Amino acid sequence: IDDQNHQTYGGVIVFRDVTENRELEKQLTYQASHDELTGLVNRREFEIRLSQAILNAKVEHSHYSLLYLDLDQFKVINDMGGHNAGDELLKQLSKSVKNILRESDTLARLGGD
């Protein structure tokens, strides 16, 4: 703030709490990269991580493994027990497999099953 002689004699400082905005950003980022039901990495995030692993393997001459699991006839579970039963199976299976993986490993849900 200047006076009539253009001498500075004060100032204004404005603070704004952005905590809520940052939390919403984190939540949106998480939702964009994770499956809502299981909390696992989704297809989009998996493809990003896979591309990075392939690049690392080429540049650093490192090795990676990929295991693809297909729940054969998963539709039967949904048809016989309902979608709640199928959802519960997916959540329990995800939790069980995640518990045996290393922190550095990626477990993803790529599709509906």
Side-chain angles (χ1 to χ4, degrees):
I1 300 174
D2 294 342
D3 61 16
Q4 293 173 338
N5 299 324
H6 302 290
Q7 296 294 317
T8 302
Y9 68 93
V12 176
I13 299 175
V14 178
F15 293 96
R16 187 170 58 121
D17 184 0
V18 295
T19 304
E20 186 176 340
N21 288 349
R22 291 220 173 133
E23 286 301 316
L24 286 173
E25 270 182 34
K26 283 173 43 178
Q27 184 179 1
L28 287 173
T29 300
Y30 180 86
Q31 288 174 342
S33 62
H34 289 76
D35 175 61
E36 184 179 356
L37 177 66
T38 61
L40 298 178
V41 169
N42 63 17
R43 177 182 292 274
R44 182 178 158 271
E45 180 67 15
F46 172 76
E47 289 173 350
I48 291 168
R49 292 184 187 192
L50 180 60
S51 295
Q52 187 62 51
I54 291 170
L55 181 63
N56 288 348
K58 288 178 182 177
V59 172
E60 300 172 6
H61 304 289
S62 53
H63 298 279
Y64 292 86
S65 295
L66 174 68
L67 173 64
Y68 180 83
L69 297 174
D70 183 16
L71 301 179
D72 195 30
Q73 298 183 3
F74 184 74
K75 185 180 180 317
V76 173
I77 294 168
N78 281 333
D79 290 347
M80 306 249 332
H83 287 283
N84 288 340
D87 288 352
E88 187 59 32
L89 174 64
L90 287 174
K91 288 190 277 189
Q92 287 183 21
L93 182 60
S94 299
K95 186 177 179 180
S96 294
V97 173
K98 191 150 184 82
N99 285 338
I100 61 173
L101 296 178
R102 299 171 300 188
E103 189 70 29
S104 60
D105 294 335
T106 296
L107 180 61
R109 182 177 180 204
L110 303 183
D113 56 357

